[in-house]
Amino acid sequence: MSSAEGNLSWTAASERPDLLADPVAAALAHVPGARVASIDATLADTAAFCAAYDVDPAASANCVVVEARRGDVVTLAAVMVLATDRADVNGTVRRHLGARKISFADQARAEGLTGMQQGGITPVGLPEGWPVLVDEGVVAAGPVVIGAGVRGAKLLVDGAALAAMPGATVLGLAQR
């Protein structure tokens, strides 16, 4: 039976900074009790990861970076939803950020600004001032697997810890 821990060997993230992107390692205080596990980087994408490591998709949270525009104002934000859900980017997210237009951020730009690898981008360690929009389902899920900033590792954190991070707002973002 799949779970949040799956068949991975988890250890305290603070003991394995080598498995984390530098900005993630520097921000671990925002997610007390975070654990990390090494994975095959070719299996970092959610569906492949969950299947290979017996992780329940309902205990895996995805982070996408969006770019919201209103006139000359551009806001980059992280959006967190469970892997079983889709974020209402064009509705709820766009309205919350006060944008006229919204899109997924360019991959190279997101990597450059976050210091993290695509497929491993996480809300932990994002640049200061970025909004972090967390779906209420992530908060209620208990332990969830998220990116570690690199494709070769995952973090296991309490969903409620994501809601307590700087810049975090909990919203009903999911389209189920």
Side-chain angles (χ1 to χ4, degrees):
M1 181 173 205
S2 55
S3 67
E5 292 189 9
N7 57 24
L8 292 159
S9 296
W10 298 95
T11 188
S14 59
E15 294 176 12
R16 292 298 311 269
D18 58 303
L19 293 177
L20 309 170
D22 290 341
V24 177
L28 282 177
H30 296 301
V31 283
R35 295 188 288 159
V36 67
S38 177
I39 66 165
D40 178 337
T42 64
L43 299 172
D45 294 331
T46 305
F49 165 77
C50 289
Y53 296 104
D54 199 27
V55 171
D56 184 352
S60 179
N62 291 330
C63 179
V64 295
V65 177
V66 296
E67 187 174 281
R69 296 180 178 273
R70 183 172 195 90
D72 292 337
V73 177
V74 176
T75 303
L76 288 155
V79 177
M80 295 292 303
V81 294
L82 294 174
T84 54
D85 298 329
R86 287 181 39 155
D88 182 14
V89 172
N90 289 314
T92 306
V93 174
R94 182 185 57 77
R95 282 190 303 275
H96 179 78
L97 295 174
R100 284 209 181 280
K101 296 180 183 178
I102 194 162
S103 60
F104 295 106
D106 174 74
Q107 177 179 331
R109 183 166 187 229
E111 287 180 352
L113 292 172
T114 64
M116 301 178 204
Q117 296 174 341
Q118 188 70 23
I121 293 178
T122 181
V124 181
L126 288 175
E128 189 174 327
W130 279 33
V132 176
L133 308 182
V134 183
D135 180 61
E136 57 199 13
V138 173
V139 177
V144 292
V145 176
I146 62 173
V150 296
R151 291 184 63 85
K154 294 288 186 179
L155 282 175
L156 182 64
V157 301
D158 191 286
L162 298 174
M165 290 182 22
T169 302
V170 177
L171 299 166
L173 300 173
Q175 294 178 319
R176 292 178 175 85

